[in-house]
Amino acid sequence: MKDYVPSVLCRQMTSFLDCPCQPFGPMRDDGPLIDAWRAARMQGEKEGFTPVIVAADETLWECLTMAVDPAKDMAFDLEQVRAYRKELLKNPLPVAEDYFQYRLDRMKREAAEDGVDFLKTVIGRAGPGETVAAFSGYWDFDAPGRTKEAILAKIPTPNPWQVFAWLPMGGWNDCPGELEMMTAAQDWFRRFGAVPAVLACDTLEFALNFPVPAGRSMDLALEHYAFCPDRALQSGPDDNVATLAATLEQSSVWYFWWD
């Protein structure tokens, strides 16, 4: 790490973020990155910022710049970026309950059109689930056992859900857009203390202090499914919403990915 020099891409992303950032080179042990994030989280609670680990990759970079101005072709004007954030933060957020219900209703209709039994196939019967307690979004799957280059960004907002104004990575395929992400994140922070912690081109992870209690896990699993269907149905064999609920009861990290 002492000889690490941030890449051009990492420097570009740091400039785009326009906030205090600490770059980390690829590593076999992510301990230093996690320790830095934990320290920043404690500092941020006192000083009014939200730390997020951002994977430095070209696909994410393309998503960020295109969200602000599709004509820029992986370039940006910082004043335009600042104006984009300011305008985005002016927008009232949808009611979270209405947003989740709208998404669920749509998915139920699509399941019915495809001849899928929503209750048996999508909700399903609960398996044992798994314990998710570590971040994975910044690991490099093309180089197993090594992280990607990453940036620990201290996003200048005390409201964790507003980090998506600095990191507008959604709005493609079935990935929610910035306002939808803020809507879900605000609601989950209010109810569970969940904070966005890791972001990559197709991955978003939240951290929380304690797993969700059993009495609340099923409703939350349905919200996670509405927010990211693949998280419930394509994360492993025999996956369904009921099994995701079992996972949430034993996990301090929430993981979402879109393709």
Side-chain angles (χ1 to χ4, degrees):
M1 285 293 293
K2 65 180 181 180
D3 299 323
Y4 164 64
V5 176
S7 67
V8 172
L9 173 63
C10 185
R11 295 197 298 271
Q12 288 175 322
M13 294 180 70
T14 296
S15 297
F16 178 94
L17 286 165
D18 192 27
C19 67
C21 291
Q22 182 179 358
F24 287 81
M27 59 186 77
R28 297 288 179 182
D29 176 11
D30 65 346
L33 178 57
I34 294 301
D35 289 345
W37 173 79
R38 287 173 176 161
R41 186 177 179 187
M42 294 178 63
Q43 181 187 9
E45 291 175 353
K46 298 176 182 177
E47 299 181 13
F49 66 83
T50 302
V52 180
I53 299 171
V54 183
D57 64 62
E58 289 190 0
T59 303
L60 176 58
W61 177 232
E62 184 177 11
C63 288
L64 297 179
T65 54
M66 287 188 66
V68 176
D69 187 348
K72 281 290 193 290
D73 191 24
M74 298 181 72
F76 70 97
D77 176 271
L78 187 55
E79 290 307 315
Q80 185 181 17
V81 172
R82 289 171 175 168
Y84 173 86
R85 290 181 184 135
K86 186 176 181 180
E87 189 64 29
L88 189 62
L89 291 172
K90 287 181 181 178
N91 287 291
L93 297 181
V95 176
E97 185 178 359
D98 293 343
Y99 164 68
F100 291 131
Q101 191 60 55
Y102 167 78
R103 296 272 294 184
L104 280 173
D105 289 344
R106 193 192 80 184
M107 292 170 185
K108 288 177 180 178
R109 287 196 305 271
E110 291 174 352
E113 291 169 1
D114 293 337
V116 174
D117 187 315
F118 191 86
L119 184 59
K120 289 183 178 180
T121 303
V122 177
I123 303 298
R125 182 176 297 178
E130 60 178 333
T131 299
V132 183
F135 299 134
S136 59
Y138 48 72
W139 288 98
D140 190 343
F141 295 108
D142 293 326
R146 190 180 70 177
T147 67
K148 296 179 180 180
E149 192 175 23
I151 301 163
L152 177 58
K154 298 179 179 179
I155 308 295
T157 174
N159 301 318
W161 59 89
Q162 292 182 329
V163 301
F164 299 108
W166 278 258
L167 292 161
M169 59 80 76
W172 46 269
N173 293 351
D174 208 31
C175 182
E178 298 92 322
L179 290 179
E180 295 169 315
M181 286 193 173
M182 283 195 272
T183 295
Q186 182 189 53
D187 188 61
W188 291 336
F189 177 73
R190 177 182 59 82
R191 292 159 55 207
F192 302 104
V195 296
V198 176
L199 190 140
C201 64
D202 58 358
T203 303
L204 171 62
E205 292 176 292
F206 287 76
L208 56 161
N209 293 328
F210 304 101
V212 176
R216 304 175 72 184
S217 63
M218 190 61 193
D219 286 343
L220 178 63
L222 280 167
E223 294 173 2
H224 282 207
Y225 166 71
F227 186 69
C228 177
D230 286 349
R231 178 61 186 96
L233 304 182
Q234 295 188 29
S235 296
D238 303 320
D239 274 0
N240 52 44
V241 173
T243 301
L244 175 58
T247 291
L248 295 176
E249 292 171 17
Q250 50 192 310
S251 298
S252 56
V253 170
W254 294 349
Y255 173 86
F256 302 96
W257 68 276
W258 296 268
D259 60 16

